[in-house]
Amino acid sequence: MDWDAVRTSLRGPGAPVSSVFTEDFVLRPDAIERNIRAITERGLGKGGGFLIAPCADGEYATLSPEETGEVVAAVRRGSEGTMPVVAGVTYNDIRVAIRAGQAARDAGAVAVMMAPPIYWTLNEEAIVDWYTRFAAA
């Protein structure tokens, strides 16, 4: 990964993008794409900025790794590929986090963000191990 290119692309405001679901919790990529198109047409991204999608505001409890990729793809389509996407891949299972990160990368995310597992008290060594395992995948 070219870290300098990632740093250069992530300039300006980061806008979190909430995922859209039906009442039955079925993901609506078409609605996400439409929302992104509307906000970019109104000026978001002109002169910089990036999108955070999924934005890890609790969606990890609902989205599968494959749906994470669908969200990233919908956001990329909605912005016509003009804005970089950082994908939230916070999961409590490293295997699921890795699959979500790979799906996000394959869909065009330039980077991911993730919190360490939230249900356990981890020492520094365990947190470093968590991110090392993720990065190695």
Side-chain angles (χ1 to χ4, degrees):
M1 175 172 283
D2 182 351
W3 286 108
D4 288 331
V6 171
R7 283 187 204 96
T8 300
S9 71
L10 300 179
R11 300 286 183 200
V17 176
S18 292
S19 299
V20 180
F21 299 90
T22 67
E23 290 179 9
D24 296 328
F25 299 104
V26 175
L27 185 65
R28 292 280 315 276
D30 60 315
I32 297 166
E33 183 178 343
R34 191 171 46 251
N35 287 347
I36 297 304
R37 186 161 284 124
I39 62 175
T40 56
E41 287 172 355
R42 288 172 176 80
L44 182 69
K46 303 267 192 280
F50 60 96
L51 300 165
I52 305 167
C55 61
D57 63 355
E59 294 159 311
Y60 67 90
T62 306
L63 292 175
S64 69
E66 296 75 22
E67 288 172 322
T68 295
E70 289 181 49
V71 170
V72 171
V75 170
R76 300 262 310 139
R77 285 191 307 272
S79 72
E80 297 180 352
T82 62
M83 295 187 71
V85 178
V86 174
V89 295
T90 296
Y91 291 87
N92 287 313
D93 182 330
I94 192 68
R95 299 164 300 176
V96 178
I98 289 168
R99 287 187 15 238
Q102 291 167 338
R105 178 195 58 214
D106 293 348
V110 299
V112 297
M113 65 177 195
M114 65 185 297
I118 60 174
Y119 291 112
W120 305 281
T121 301
L122 301 175
N123 62 23
E124 184 177 332
E125 180 182 343
I127 292 170
V128 168
D129 181 63
W130 176 263
Y131 289 112
T132 300
R133 287 172 185 251
F134 183 84

